[in-house]
Amino acid sequence: MSVVNQIYLECALYAALRPTDAVPSQMKGPINFTKIETTPPKQESDILTSNVAGSVGEAAAVVQKATDAAAISLELNTFSSELLELLLNADVVAKSQTGAPVVDAVIDTALDIWTKLPGEYLSSTGISLKTSADAAVASDTYVVDTVAGYIKPTDAAAVGTGMKISFTTSSVTYDQYQAGKAKSAVLYLNGKAYDKYAGKWGNLTIEMASVSNQSAYDWAAGGWMKGGLTGTLVTPAGKNSPITFDRPHFAVG
């Protein structure tokens, strides 16, 4: 059987932001893309209709006119920090907390109800509760959410107004994703693509993809996060197209 002219690709692409025509010199990845779908510019027929007797209403001439730019649709399940910001539609702010003692903070508690404490990321040791009269309350009469900073009485002994709680906050550093915003970015994707049919590697480049996240993220579903980005392909200055693929030569029957 003669060799069929076909392509069977597997990709390993790196990603970076490309806010200008300058090609990024530093990349992150390879990113685990499960979809890199590009759509060529949409074209429609622009018809010159005949009004000449004998051919009225017929197409005298026609050209294809581009009406929309080329588009891209990405799906992925590993992320650089910039891609994660896009997929969560978030600004990211570096935060830190220095551990410090909180002594006799006054709270009102109710049975089986969570009450917010004046702190988060608490040390799991050194938590104590007292009544308004400074009588110690047994630790087995309440539970504490040390991450979010809540206390819930499980026994009437821990219920009251003017209760006094003492604890120590932990020293932590974290990135806070301020999500739910309108975010977009221009991406540069570059790397290698393996043609399994030819048994050879070639370079694949998406020069500029102006993308945003239009898909939902389920914070409670569990499992590995995945996301999608869609947008428009842009041809940067000095390039002839928004996509290039270096396809290695092989014999075709």
Side-chain angles (χ1 to χ4, degrees):
M1 183 179 68
S2 62
V3 177
V4 177
N5 194 7
Q6 255 292 1
I7 297 176
Y8 194 121
L9 289 185
E10 294 178 344
C11 299
L13 298 187
Y14 307 96
L17 299 183
R18 188 176 183 177
T20 69
D21 286 337
V23 176
S25 59
Q26 295 182 327
M27 311 284 286
K28 295 180 180 179
I31 305 299
N32 196 37
F33 288 105
T34 56
K35 177 183 178 183
I36 306 173
E37 181 181 83
T38 59
T39 305
K42 182 180 178 181
Q43 300 182 76
E44 62 182 31
S45 297
D46 195 350
I47 301 171
L48 176 65
T49 304
S50 173
N51 196 40
V52 177
S55 63
V56 173
E58 298 176 9
V62 60
V63 296
Q64 294 298 313
K65 178 178 65 176
T67 58
D68 290 305
I72 188 168
S73 177
L74 304 171
E75 292 181 1
L76 57 160
N77 54 29
T78 64
F79 324 102
S80 64
S81 56
E82 295 86 358
L83 289 171
L84 187 56
E85 290 177 33
L86 276 176
L87 291 169
L88 292 177
N89 291 91
D91 290 332
V92 180
V93 179
K95 296 276 189 175
S96 64
Q97 172 181 284
T98 301
V102 176
V103 180
D104 288 347
V106 177
I107 58 173
D108 298 332
T109 60
L111 188 64
D112 290 327
I113 300 295
W114 291 100
T115 297
K116 188 71 178 78
L117 300 176
E120 299 172 344
Y121 304 110
L122 316 182
S123 171
S124 59
T125 60
I127 299 173
S128 64
L129 183 66
K130 298 186 295 185
T131 67
S132 58
D134 291 330
V137 177
S139 60
D140 61 357
T141 61
Y142 58 89
V143 293
V144 176
D145 181 334
T146 56
V147 176
Y150 283 87
I151 185 172
K152 182 179 75 170
T154 56
D155 185 276
V159 175
T161 58
M163 303 290 281
K164 300 175 183 178
I165 189 166
S166 297
F167 56 85
T168 300
T169 59
S170 300
S171 294
V172 294
T173 58
Y174 55 94
D175 291 329
Q176 185 177 85
Y177 286 79
Q178 299 174 352
K181 305 173 74 67
K183 301 288 289 183
S184 63
V186 178
L187 300 181
Y188 173 72
L189 308 179
N190 175 251
K192 56 190 178 182
Y194 181 63
D195 188 337
K196 292 186 69 176
Y197 184 57
K200 295 184 178 181
W201 290 92
N203 287 324
L204 176 62
T205 302
I206 309 294
E207 293 286 354
M208 298 182 81
S210 179
V211 297
S212 62
N213 174 31
Q214 303 297 327
S215 58
Y217 174 61
D218 190 338
W219 297 83
W224 298 110
M225 180 184 176
K226 58 183 179 180
L229 300 167
T230 57
T232 302
L233 293 172
V234 180
T235 302
K239 298 293 183 178
N240 294 320
S241 67
I243 309 166
T244 58
F245 172 49
D246 300 340
R247 187 187 182 202
H249 290 171
F250 70 107
V252 177

